[in-house]
Amino acid sequence: MSVNSNPYAPSPNDLLSNVGNFLLIESTLREGEQFANAFFSTEKKIEIAKALDDFGVDYIELTSPVASEQSRSDCEAICKLGLKAKILTHIRCHMDDARVAVETGVDGVDVVIGTSKFLREYSHGKDMNYIAKSAIEVIEFVKSKGLEIRFSSEDSFRSDIVDLLNIYKTVDKIGVNRVGIADTVGCANPRQVYELVRTLKSVVSCDIECHFHDDTGCAIGNAYSALEAGARLIDVSVLGIGERNGITSLGGLMARMIVSAPDYVKSKYKLHKLRDLENLVADAVHVNLPFNNPITGFCAFTHKAGIHAKAILANPSTYEILNPEDFGMKRYIHFANRLTGWNAIKSRVEQLNLSLSDDQVKEVTSKIKQIGDVRQLSIEDVDTIIKDYHSEQ
Amino acid sequence: MSVNSNPYAPSPNDLLSNVGNFLLIESTLREGEQFANAFFSTEKKIEIAKALDDFGVDYIELTSPVASEQSRSDCEAICKLGLKAKILTHIRCHMDDARVAVETGVDGVDVVIGTSKFLREYSHGKDMNYIAKSAIEVIEFVKSKGLEIRFSSEDSFRSDIVDLLNIYKTVDKIGVNRVGIADTVGCANPRQVYELVRTLKSVVSCDIECHFHDDTGCAIGNAYSALEAGARLIDVSVLGIGERNGITSLGGLMARMIVSAPDYVKSKYKLHKLRDLENLVADAVHVNLPFNNPITGFCAFTHKAGIHAKAILANPSTYEILNPEDFGMKRYIHFANRLTGWNAIKSRVEQLNLSLSDDQVKEVTSKIKQIGDVRQLSIEDVDTIIKDYHSEQ
């Protein structure tokens, strides 16, 4: 553990760390469209793309133009918006797809092919030689059109490491802009990610992009470890929507990164727009914000136990690593419950503009805890108890 | 990266790993009671305790008996249930609390004290000498009653490493059963956790317990890294409920661990009861299951993009690291959308007991994708399109 003045800053041992220098590939309009509930109209896609651009994401990734006729025309429409973010589309490693993609007006093309034995056997049925040959053909074609090109393996953590390093080395040599590692099934763990990215970093000179599914709950931890190891770009989506239970969420990664690289994150992204962005997407795909969502979950800044409330009132840093104001959110001290303490009640007495001595506050706190033992309390209940007690003095 | 026959098995480099030998301290009835929405009646606490015991958790942790009169009597009632799980209560490092705790009938006492400069200054105001003295007094007292005792620092990742190792070494010497590391504010990252646990492992001979808040989305990744480094026990709660947005969730950790230690996890925990347990707690605290919850989220086993559906139909392992049947859940191929592919539609045609050639399936898939481009499709819509097409042949 590094114990320096800011223990959350990038570790000095990670010489290749991009924790303070990362880029976001926002994939709500590609990975997110693969979420069970997602059906985005053209208008909604444009609204989301504009909101993402305004938030400050570096890249916006769109569904393959080959997926459907509308997917193609929507891709073209978004390319014409003149956004600051670069527009990417995501295709199979095949010339048929590449020829369509380069005509849409995108700034870059993300190519993917399954490299695990599972996918080679049950998905496309091709061997590594075939994969290398297709990759070279597609990459050289896209580059010849002056566009950015990424080559990613799929299901990288179940692929043979020698196969992986071979293909990445090959595509790096012919000038791919970045290579991608994808935890397609969500099986990877953070230290495994660190090791693979660090190894890959010694093999290629281009940037490394990472894509993590969240099936086993590690999508944010894995993204962080990847950046520590020298990956530069992380794929995210709003609320993490995607295949199955999705990928690294934009908001969750912001929570993680602001702790480690506060100046970079605050200068680059409009964090106070996160909530609106999440509401926009949640409405579009008919889900509620998870109650425990990082930052915007309804209780993310609610403090309840008496001992927590006391310290938070003295100094918010005691029990908060995130500052709610950075995200346009508010802190809340939950005092209407049996776990409350007299410091929280004292603060409420002051908010009510009443005057009680510390001993009196302790006495009324004891009454509140007694009633809180019997039933759930509302704020109004507590205020009434305090006011009644005050008028009796 | 370790590439062996099971790449998710504990890494052979982690000589102290407890990935295949961990224990759960279930804290829904302590940490979970600090969740903003939680108000558990005695009956509800007993129902939850019984369900947790049936699921197979090793320890059940309860709110301090000093928190309120009802907290004390509920603690006594749960101790009398005769559960297989050991019952713990969680108190401040103070003899006043300890004297009450040992009379409740618990099997063990979890003691905690803030060790960070933040908490020492703004919470209890005590120095490390005072902390050590109180710790020794409380530990020896609890041990004299024949009960298990854990000593934990609070906010461990913002505490001075020398202070931490000193106090842990002291309490280990006098025979504490386990020491606890707590990421009270949710700031730690996985590799930092690994380093601290591994260092601590070289200092103490007792077990190490870890407690991770999820403010920055790493609570599951951190728990996994802690076990890799040699921690033995992880604190969890159902749906992760707790202060702010909570801690490592029981279900999320099960998803992570079944990938790495399938035999251990399946033999020890009744995984098919996870959904009922989550519903019980979600109802009690008036929240919905997050749409993206690991395992039990409504789309955790839903596959949508055509390329995914095709491979899943050939072999589920292609795009699934978790087997839904292990949790009494079902896989679902989402075919009613514009990203669908002809393999998914072919499977649906077979489910409908209709007969179409591959070329015919491709033709009807194209029709479905065209309509899916214009509007959101239901299963009924797709079935109607297929049946109409079939009757025209």
Side-chain angles (χ1 to χ4, degrees), chain B residues 120-247:
Chain B
R120 279 158 51 196
E121 184 168 347
Y122 296 102
S123 181
H124 52 72
K126 312 295 186 190
D127 66 16
M128 290 306 296
N129 283 335
Y130 177 92
I131 291 173
K133 227 179 113 213
S134 323
I136 292 169
E137 188 182 10
V138 170
I139 291 165
E140 292 191 331
F141 172 72
V142 174
K143 276 174 64 77
S144 76
K145 299 292 179 178
L147 301 184
E148 275 191 29
I149 175 81
R150 177 213 72 186
F151 173 84
S152 181
S153 64
E154 196 183 358
D155 204 3
S156 316
F157 290 88
R158 297 194 299 180
S159 300
D160 183 275
I161 179 94
V162 181
D163 285 348
L164 274 187
L165 297 179
N166 264 322
I167 184 89
Y168 285 135
K169 190 174 177 181
T170 302
V171 299
D172 183 50
K173 263 193 198 148
I174 61 167
V176 80
N177 294 87
R178 50 185 195 281
V179 289
I181 291 174
D183 181 20
T184 306
V185 297
C187 66
N189 67 63
R191 290 175 58 247
Q192 198 179 25
V193 167
Y194 184 87
E195 293 301 319
L196 179 58
V197 173
R198 204 178 51 174
T199 303
L200 179 55
K201 193 83 183 164
S202 71
V203 169
V204 299
S205 58
C206 64
D207 279 341
I208 299 172
E209 169 185 344
C210 288
H211 181 90
F212 297 108
H213 277 263
D214 204 27
D215 300 75
T216 63
C218 290
I220 296 170
N222 284 343
Y224 188 78
S225 292
L227 292 174
E228 287 184 308
R232 181 84 199 281
L233 306 100
I234 301 292
D235 292 3
V236 295
S237 69
V238 177
L239 298 172
I241 61 169
E243 284 279 355
R244 305 186 309 283
N245 78 334
I247 63 167

Side-chain angles (χ1 to χ4, degrees), chain A residues 197-321:
Chain A
V197 173
R198 204 177 53 174
T199 302
L200 179 55
K201 192 83 182 165
S202 71
V203 169
V204 298
S205 57
C206 63
D207 279 341
I208 298 172
E209 168 185 345
C210 288
H211 180 90
F212 297 108
H213 277 263
D214 205 27
D215 300 75
T216 64
C218 291
I220 296 171
N222 284 342
Y224 189 78
S225 293
L227 293 175
E228 287 185 308
R232 180 86 200 281
L233 306 101
I234 301 291
D235 292 3
V236 295
S237 69
V238 177
L239 298 172
I241 61 169
E243 284 279 355
R244 305 185 310 282
N245 78 333
I247 63 167
T248 307
S249 69
L250 171 64
L253 191 63
M254 289 293 97
R256 179 66 254 166
M257 301 316 297
I258 197 174
V259 169
S260 302
D263 296 339
Y264 182 77
V265 170
K266 285 192 241 182
S267 67
K268 198 147 184 275
Y269 302 108
K270 290 189 187 167
L271 301 176
H272 60 286
K273 301 223 169 174
L274 179 63
R275 186 164 47 170
D276 289 346
L277 188 52
E278 290 187 345
N279 284 337
L280 171 66
V281 172
D283 286 352
V285 300
H286 315 295
V287 298
N288 294 314
L289 288 200
F291 77 88
N292 53 4
N293 210 41
I295 300 169
T296 55
F298 84 99
C299 51
F301 298 105
T302 297
H303 304 271
K304 184 168 172 185
I307 193 171
H308 285 222
K310 172 188 171 186
I312 278 279
L313 287 164
N315 179 348
S317 291
T318 48
Y319 284 102
E320 265 176 8
I321 191 66

Side-chain angles (χ1 to χ4, degrees), chain A residues 42-308:
Chain A
T42 305
E43 296 67 36
K44 192 54 75 180
K45 285 184 187 174
I46 289 173
E47 189 182 356
I48 292 171
K50 286 179 173 171
L52 291 171
D53 188 52
D54 185 43
F55 183 82
V57 304
D58 305 281
Y59 290 88
I60 294 174
E61 187 181 64
L62 305 176
T63 294
S64 170
V66 179
S68 77
E69 190 49 36
Q70 193 66 47
S71 301
R72 190 185 54 71
S73 65
D74 290 347
C75 180
E76 292 170 355
I78 291 170
C79 289
K80 288 189 187 125
L81 294 175
L83 302 179
K84 294 185 297 294
K86 288 187 185 173
I87 309 299
L88 305 170
T89 190
H90 181 264
I91 62 168
R92 293 171 296 189
C93 187
H94 199 290
M95 283 300 290
D96 292 350
D97 290 15
R99 283 191 200 96
V100 179
V102 298
E103 298 301 323
T104 54
V106 293
D107 300 296
V109 177
D110 285 348
V111 170
V112 67
I113 190 160
T115 42
S116 71
K117 126 179 118 44
F118 287 107
L119 291 177
R120 279 157 50 194
E121 184 168 347
Y122 295 103
S123 179
H124 52 70
K126 311 297 188 190
D127 66 16
M128 291 306 294
N129 282 335
Y130 178 91
I131 290 173
K133 226 179 117 214
S134 320
I136 293 169
E137 190 182 7
V138 170
I139 292 165
E140 293 192 329
F141 172 72
V142 174
K143 277 175 63 76
S144 77
K145 300 291 178 178
L147 302 183
E148 274 191 29
I149 175 82
R150 177 211 74 187
F151 173 84
S152 181
S153 64
E154 195 182 358
D155 203 2
S156 316
F157 290 88
R158 297 194 298 180
S159 300
D160 182 275
I161 179 95
V162 181
D163 285 348
L164 275 188
L165 297 179
N166 264 321
I167 185 88
Y168 286 135
K169 189 172 177 182
T170 301
V171 298
D172 183 50
K173 264 194 198 149
I174 61 165
V176 80
N177 294 87
R178 49 186 195 279
V179 290
I181 290 174
D183 181 20
T184 306
V185 297
C187 65
N189 67 63
R191 291 175 58 249
Q192 197 178 27
V193 168
Y194 185 88
E195 292 302 318
L196 179 57
V197 173
R198 204 177 53 174
T199 302
L200 179 55
K201 192 83 182 165
S202 71
V203 169
V204 298
S205 57
C206 63
D207 279 341
I208 298 172
E209 168 185 345
C210 288
H211 180 90
F212 297 108
H213 277 263
D214 205 27
D215 300 75
T216 64
C218 291
I220 296 171
N222 284 342
Y224 189 78
S225 293
L227 293 175
E228 287 185 308
R232 180 86 200 281
L233 306 101
I234 301 291
D235 292 3
V236 295
S237 69
V238 177
L239 298 172
I241 61 169
E243 284 279 355
R244 305 185 310 282
N245 78 333
I247 63 167
T248 307
S249 69
L250 171 64
L253 191 63
M254 289 293 97
R256 179 66 254 166
M257 301 316 297
I258 197 174
V259 169
S260 302
D263 296 339
Y264 182 77
V265 170
K266 285 192 241 182
S267 67
K268 198 147 184 275
Y269 302 108
K270 290 189 187 167
L271 301 176
H272 60 286
K273 301 223 169 174
L274 179 63
R275 186 164 47 170
D276 289 346
L277 188 52
E278 290 187 345
N279 284 337
L280 171 66
V281 172
D283 286 352
V285 300
H286 315 295
V287 298
N288 294 314
L289 288 200
F291 77 88
N292 53 4
N293 210 41
I295 300 169
T296 55
F298 84 99
C299 51
F301 298 105
T302 297
H303 304 271
K304 184 168 172 185
I307 193 171
H308 285 222

Side-chain angles (χ1 to χ4, degrees), chain B residues 33-302:
Chain B
E33 206 179 3
Q34 292 175 226
F35 173 56
N37 269 20
F39 174 86
F40 299 127
S41 65
T42 306
E43 296 67 38
K44 193 53 75 179
K45 285 185 188 175
I46 289 173
E47 189 183 356
I48 291 171
K50 285 179 173 173
L52 291 171
D53 188 53
D54 184 44
F55 183 82
V57 305
D58 305 281
Y59 291 87
I60 293 175
E61 188 181 64
L62 306 177
T63 293
S64 169
V66 178
S68 77
E69 191 46 38
Q70 193 66 49
S71 300
R72 192 186 52 71
S73 65
D74 290 347
C75 181
E76 292 170 354
I78 291 171
C79 288
K80 288 188 186 124
L81 293 175
L83 302 179
K84 295 185 297 293
K86 289 188 185 173
I87 308 299
L88 305 171
T89 190
H90 181 265
I91 61 168
R92 292 171 296 188
C93 188
H94 199 289
M95 283 301 290
D96 292 349
D97 291 14
R99 284 191 199 94
V100 179
V102 298
E103 299 300 323
T104 55
V106 293
D107 300 295
V109 177
D110 285 348
V111 170
V112 68
I113 190 160
T115 42
S116 71
K117 118 180 125 44
F118 287 108
L119 291 177
R120 279 158 51 196
E121 184 168 347
Y122 296 102
S123 181
H124 52 72
K126 312 295 186 190
D127 66 16
M128 290 306 296
N129 283 335
Y130 177 92
I131 291 173
K133 227 179 113 213
S134 323
I136 292 169
E137 188 182 10
V138 170
I139 291 165
E140 292 191 331
F141 172 72
V142 174
K143 276 174 64 77
S144 76
K145 299 292 179 178
L147 301 184
E148 275 191 29
I149 175 81
R150 177 213 72 186
F151 173 84
S152 181
S153 64
E154 196 183 358
D155 204 3
S156 316
F157 290 88
R158 297 194 299 180
S159 300
D160 183 275
I161 179 94
V162 181
D163 285 348
L164 274 187
L165 297 179
N166 264 322
I167 184 89
Y168 285 135
K169 190 174 177 181
T170 302
V171 299
D172 183 50
K173 263 193 198 148
I174 61 167
V176 80
N177 294 87
R178 50 185 195 281
V179 289
I181 291 174
D183 181 20
T184 306
V185 297
C187 66
N189 67 63
R191 290 175 58 247
Q192 198 179 25
V193 167
Y194 184 87
E195 293 301 319
L196 179 58
V197 173
R198 204 178 51 174
T199 303
L200 179 55
K201 193 83 183 164
S202 71
V203 169
V204 299
S205 58
C206 64
D207 279 341
I208 299 172
E209 169 185 344
C210 288
H211 181 90
F212 297 108
H213 277 263
D214 204 27
D215 300 75
T216 63
C218 290
I220 296 170
N222 284 343
Y224 188 78
S225 292
L227 292 174
E228 287 184 308
R232 181 84 199 281
L233 306 100
I234 301 292
D235 292 3
V236 295
S237 69
V238 177
L239 298 172
I241 61 169
E243 284 279 355
R244 305 186 309 283
N245 78 334
I247 63 167
T248 307
S249 69
L250 172 63
L253 191 64
M254 289 293 98
R256 179 67 252 165
M257 300 316 297
I258 197 174
V259 169
S260 302
D263 296 341
Y264 182 77
V265 170
K266 285 193 240 182
S267 67
K268 198 146 182 277
Y269 303 108
K270 289 190 187 165
L271 301 176
H272 60 285
K273 300 224 168 171
L274 178 64
R275 186 163 48 170
D276 289 346
L277 187 52
E278 290 187 344
N279 284 335
L280 170 65
V281 172
D283 286 351
V285 300
H286 315 295
V287 298
N288 293 314
L289 288 200
F291 76 89
N292 53 3
N293 209 42
I295 301 170
T296 54
F298 85 98
C299 52
F301 298 106
T302 297

